[in-house]
Amino acid sequence: MRYKSQRIAREYLLAALMLFLLQVVFGILNIAKYIWGYDPLLNVIPFNVSRAIHINLLVFWLLLALMGATYYMVADELKTEIYSAKLGRLQLGILLLSGVAAIVGYLFQWNFGMPFLEQPTVIKLAIVVAALIFLANIGLTMFKNHHTLTRMTATLLGGMVMLAVMFLFGIPFMDNLSTQYYYWWWVIHLWVEGAWELIAASLVGWALIKVTGVSRRRIEGWVFAEVCLVLLTGIIGTGHHYYWIGTPHYWLWWGAIFSAAEPIPILMMLVDTVRHMLGARTLRSVNTLGLAWLGASAFVHFMGAGVWGFGQTLPQINRWTHGTQITASHGHFAFWGAYGMLAIALMYVILPELSGRDTEHGGKVGFTAFVSLNFSMIFMVMALLIAGIIQVYFQRVMGMEYLQVQSYMRMWYAVVLVAGSIFFVGTVLVLSDLLRLSRPIRTAEHVSEPEPETVPGD
Amino acid sequence: MLWTHKILWIATLVSAFAFLGMTVDSLHRMSASTHADQLSAQVIEGKRVWQHYDCNDCHTILGIGAYYAPDVTKSYSQRGAPWLRKFLENPAAMYPSGRQMPNFHLSSAQIDSLVAYLGWVSRIDTNGWPPSPEGVTPAEDAQRAAGGELAGSKIYLAQGCNACHTIQGSGGTIAPDLTHVGSRRNKSWILAQINDPRRINAQSVMPSFAQLPESAKQQLVDYLDSLK
Ligand code: HEM
Ligand code: HEM
Ligand SMILES: [Fe+2]
C-alpha cells in the first residue's frame, strides 16, 4: 500500500465477504424449499423472500467488491490519494444501511416487486445517492490527475457511469408489464452484459499487469477492443430478452444475431488472460492464488456466460427453455465465473498488498477453498442443467403439469443441496483465508496507525 | 488511436443509436400487441397487488422471474376467472399437498384486480410463447384409450383436479385414484360429487365445482365415466 486512502478498499472488500457468506446461506435455504414441499417457514420467510434476499445480497456484495477494488485501483494507477476517503466511508455506510433496511423490509412485505429490483423506491433513491457520491469521488480523483489518466481507468469510469445510468430505468412503476420488463432488462442485461463487463475488463487488465508484470501497452490495446465488442454485440443483444414479452417479432432476428456474437469478446478475454499468464512464468515471485483465481475466472466466465448463454440464446431453443432451471444454471455459472470469481481474485491481489503479507505460496486453506468452491459450483450448475432438461422435456414438450414435473426433478435438487453445502464450506474457508491475509503486519514502511476495527456487514 | 479501434468505436456508437431507434419503434408497436387500451384502472391495480406481494419471486410471468411456481402468463385462459378467484381466496384448498403458496388473505377487491390483471396478461401477443406441447398428457391418453373426445380431459387438467387426484400414475396423492373411477361410480354420482363434495363427507377437502357451466360438467362426467 502506498496511499492511506487506499485503506477504504479493505473495508469494502471485507464487507463484501461477509455478505457473500450470507448470500450462500440463503441459497441453501432456497434449494431446501425446492426439495421439501412442506415449508415450516411458509409464513415467516416464504420462498419469494428468501430468493429476493439471496439475489440482492449477490448483486450487493459484487458491487461492494467492484467499488472497493476501483478505489484501490484508481489510486494505484494515478499514483495519488483518493479525493476523499471520508466520502468513500460515507458511501459505504449509506449502502450498508440501505441493504439492511431492504432485507428487513422484505420480511414485512415492503417490496417493489420486480426481481433483483425488489428494493422499495426510497431505498433505490438512497442507492442512487451513494452511486453519485462514488462517481463524484472517483471522478474528482481523476479530474485532479487528468495528466496521468490511463485508458484503463477511463474505461472503468465509463463502466461505472453506465452502471449508474442504467439503474435509473429500474426505478419507476409502469402500468404496462411489457414496458416494465422492456426497461427492466436495461438494468439486468445491460449491467451484466454491458457495464459490468467494462468494469471487469479494466480491473482484470490492471490486475494482470500487477500479477504477471506484462507491459501496459499490450494490455490496453486489447482491453479497448474487447470493451468495444462487448458493447457492439451486447447492446442490441438485449434483444435476446425481447422474444416473448409482447415485443415486436423482429427482435427474434436482431436479438439472435447480435447476442450470438456476444461470446466473441468473452473468448478474446480468455485468450488474452491465458497469454499474459504464460508470460508470468518468468517472474521471480508470483501471487499464486491471485493468479489462479484470475485465470480460472476467465475460463468460467467464458463457459458460464459464453457457452451456457449461447446455448439458449437462439429463439428456436429459447422458445422451449425460457424461464426454466436451464436459465438458473446459466445465471449461477455466469455470475460466479464473470464476477464472483473476479471479486475473489481482486481480493487476493489487493488485501495482501494492503496488509503487506506474503502471497508467494498461497497456503493450504486458500487452495482448498479454491478447489472446493469451483468444483462444487460446476457440480451445482450441472445438476440444475439436468433438472432443466427434464423440465423442458416433460413440461414444455410433453405438456405435463408444472408441479408433477417438479417431482421428477427432485433428485437433482438434492444434488444441488449437496453441492451447495460443499460450496458453503468453501465460502467459510475463503473467508478465513482472506481475513488472515488482510490482517496488517506492522513494519516500518507500513504506516498503519491503530484504528478502530470496522466489522461491516452484520 | 489505431484505425481499427476507430472503426470499432464508431460501430459501437452506431449500434447504440440503432438500439434507441428500435426502442422507439418497439414501444410504439407494443401498445397494439399488449392491448394497452385495455389497461383499465383495475388491471393496473392488479399489477400493483402483484408487485406488492412480490409474486414474481416465486412465479415467472412472461417467462421471467423465479422458477419455484408455475408460469402465470396463461393461467387466466387455462383456468378461467372463477377458478382463479377461488384459488386466490385460499390456495391450499385447491392444492392441499406438495409445494405451497402462502395465503395472503387478499381482500375480494384485491382478488378481482389480480384476476383482471392476469386476464390482461393472458391476451398479450407473445409471439407464440409458451409453445404448445407436442406430447399427450396421461389424462388425454386415458381418454383416447377410452375412445372419447378430448374435451373432458382438458377440463380435468384446466380445473386442476390432478392437483389432488391421480390418473394413470400422474397427479396428486391426497385424493382417490381416478384411473378406474368409471367402474365404481355412475354418472349421476360423479356429477353430485362435482357439485357438492360435502354431501357425503362434510369435512371433504375437495372444493365444489358447481360454478362450472353445465356443458363443461357434462363433458367432465362423460370423461370420468369412460375410465373403466
Ligand atoms: C457475465 C455475463 C452474464 C451473466 C452474469 C448472465 C446472467 C444471467 C441471468 C441471471 C439470467 C436470468 C435473468 C432472469 O432472472 O430472468 C440470464 C438470462 C439469459 N442469458 Fe445471461 N448472463 C451473462 C451473459 C450471457 C451471454 C453472453 C449470453 C448469450 C450469448 C446470455 C444469454 C442469456 C439468455 C438467452 C437468457 C434468457 C434465458 C431465458 O429465456 O430464461 N447471457 N443471464
Ligand atoms: C450454496 C450455494 C447456492 C445455492 C444452493 C443456490 C440456490 C439458488 C436457488 C434455489 C435459486 C432460486 C432459483 C429460482 O429462481 O427459482 C437461486 C437463484 C439465484 N442464485 Fe443462487 N445459490 C447458491 C449460490 C449462488 C452463488 C454463489 C451465486 C452467484 C455467484 C448465485 C446466483 C444466483 C442467481 C443469479 C440467481 C437468480 C437466477 C435466475 O433468475 O435465473 N447463487 N440460487
Ligand atoms: Fe442477456
Side-chain angles (χ1 to χ4, degrees), chain A residues 225-236:
Chain A
E226 285 158 5
V227 155
C228 277
L229 281 176
V230 162
L231 293 175
L232 181 57
T233 57
I235 294 177
I236 298 184

Side-chain angles (χ1 to χ4, degrees), chain A residues 20 23-31 34 47 51 54-55 58 61-62 116 324-325 327-329 331-332 335-337 340 377 380 384 416-417 419-421 423-424, chain B residues 57-58 65-68:
Chain A
F20 173 40
Q23 184 221 344
V24 173
V25 171
F26 277 91
I28 289 176
L29 189 58
N30 285 346
I31 199 66
Y34 260 101
F47 179 84
R51 180 193 196 250
H54 177 63
I55 59 183
L58 162 71
W61 82 264
L62 290 178
F116 291 93
T324 61
Q325 294 297 339
T327 312
S329 174
H332 280 89
F335 254 113
W336 174 244
M377 180 52 87
M380 198 168 114
L384 287 173
V416 173
L417 179 63
S421 307
F423 191 88
F424 174 76
Chain B
D57 267 320
C58 278
Y67 320 115
Y68 183 77

Side-chain angles (χ1 to χ4, degrees), chain A residues 239-386:
Chain A
H240 65 182
H241 304 294
Y242 295 161
Y243 297 153
W244 329 113
I245 63 166
T247 30
H249 192 270
Y250 56 67
W251 285 112
L252 270 65
W253 288 97
W254 292 105
I257 292 167
F258 277 77
S259 69
E262 281 182 40
I264 295 172
I266 301 177
L267 181 61
M268 281 168 64
M269 291 181 205
L270 172 60
V271 171
D272 204 24
T273 305
V274 171
R275 271 192 330 158
H276 298 317
M277 282 177 61
L278 293 180
R281 280 181 309 188
T282 57
L283 289 184
R284 188 134 5 100
S285 152
V286 176
N287 178 343
T288 330
L289 277 170
L291 202 60
W293 277 103
L294 269 181
S297 165
F299 176 68
V300 178
H301 183 177
F302 176 68
M303 291 303 293
V307 178
W308 257 236
F310 183 84
Q312 55 176 336
T313 205
L314 299 179
Q316 293 83 347
I317 295 170
N318 190 264
R319 197 166 118 84
W320 300 96
T321 61
H322 180 47
T324 61
Q325 294 297 339
I326 294 181
T327 312
S329 174
H330 158 68
H332 280 89
F333 213 8
F335 254 113
W336 174 244
Y339 305 117
M341 294 174 74
L342 171 63
I344 294 176
L346 291 168
M347 292 174 188
Y348 269 107
V349 173
I350 293 172
L351 289 174
E353 263 196 20
L354 277 167
S355 65
R357 278 180 193 270
D358 174 33
T359 53
E360 175 87 54
H361 301 294
K364 239 189 199 147
V365 178
F367 276 104
T368 316
F370 177 83
V371 172
S372 55
L373 282 170
N374 290 315
F375 277 91
S376 63
M377 180 52 87
I378 289 173
F379 199 24
M380 198 168 114
V381 299
M382 289 301 169
L384 287 173
L385 179 67
I386 296 172

